[in-house]
Amino acid sequence: MNKSLYDQSFSVPFRYPVWFTRHLFSPENPLLPETLNRLQENRRHRAVVFIDDGVAAAHPHLIDDITGCFARHSEQMVLAGAPALVPGGETAKNDWKYVHQVIDEISRHHLDRQSYVIAIGGGAVLDMVGFGTAIVHRGLRMVRVPTTTLAQNDAGIGVKNGINAQGQKNFIGTFAPPFA
């Protein structure tokens, strides 16, 4: 019998910047448009935004700040649709319907691999939105804006995305960097 073996391997290094800032959406802060143009593509990047509903409730002007930021920097970035609210905490990760909400928004606004998904919230929201973002078109660009200390140290900078299923935490998931 004639047989041969080829031992193949590959690696995918994850490299991405981690920025620290305050008042990301304020008129004086250029970080968001600079981040979306990090690859120097010099185009108007389209984006959708998902916000933890608890964060939105605690910051009633956040949606206006986001839309104002996109309007001020309209030559560099376009808000493809109104910011969408998703539940915070483990609720976001316990039901596929929230992943489907992310997928539906991406589809409805015809986002592609040069577009962005921006997630604002705690770790569970970043994990769930990251999962939905990672499985559409084999992964869209994502910007994570963590709003808790735990999220800053885990989901905000990590490459793990997922949801709870089959009675197990993080049972379904992917590895995808916050922004590739």
Side-chain angles (χ1 to χ4, degrees):
M1 180 189 312
N2 189 8
K3 63 181 181 177
S4 61
L5 170 68
Y6 175 74
D7 190 18
Q8 182 175 333
S9 68
F10 73 95
S11 65
V12 180
F14 295 123
R15 184 180 175 128
Y16 49 91
V18 176
W19 290 99
F20 294 85
T21 190
R22 292 182 186 271
H23 310 290
L24 178 61
F25 305 106
S26 77
E28 298 81 29
N29 193 338
L31 184 57
L32 184 60
E34 288 173 1
T35 297
L36 300 192
N37 194 39
R38 179 172 76 87
L39 300 178
Q40 309 253 328
E41 296 166 306
N42 297 317
R43 64 187 333 180
R44 291 178 74 207
H45 292 284
R46 299 180 74 240
V48 294
V49 177
F50 293 92
I51 307 169
D52 180 315
D53 61 3
V55 172
H59 301 277
H61 299 290
L62 180 59
I63 292 175
D64 290 338
D65 292 346
I66 292 167
T67 56
C69 180
F70 274 85
R72 277 187 306 282
H73 300 284
S74 62
E75 291 187 14
Q76 297 165 294
M77 55 190 202
V78 177
L79 189 58
L85 299 180
V86 293
E90 289 298 303
T91 300
K93 293 176 64 169
N94 285 335
D95 195 325
W96 273 97
K97 72 180 178 183
Y98 302 115
V99 175
H100 286 286
Q101 179 185 351
V102 170
I103 293 168
D104 290 346
E105 285 291 308
I106 291 169
S107 176
R108 180 178 13 268
H109 299 296
H110 307 286
L111 298 187
D112 59 24
R113 291 180 55 85
Q114 284 72 48
S115 304
Y116 287 86
V117 173
I118 300 169
I120 303 166
V125 167
L126 300 183
D127 281 356
M128 181 277 295
V129 174
F131 176 62
T133 301
I135 62 176
V136 173
H137 294 302
R138 295 188 183 128
L140 299 187
R141 298 171 178 183
M142 182 173 174
V143 174
R144 299 178 191 194
V145 182
T147 58
T148 66
T149 302
L150 181 57
Q152 288 173 346
N153 293 306
D154 183 24
I157 60 171
V159 298
K160 299 176 290 180
N161 306 280
I163 61 168
N164 306 330
Q166 306 301 111
Q168 299 177 55
K169 186 165 175 59
N170 298 317
F171 185 71
I172 298 173
T174 63
F175 291 98
F179 166 38

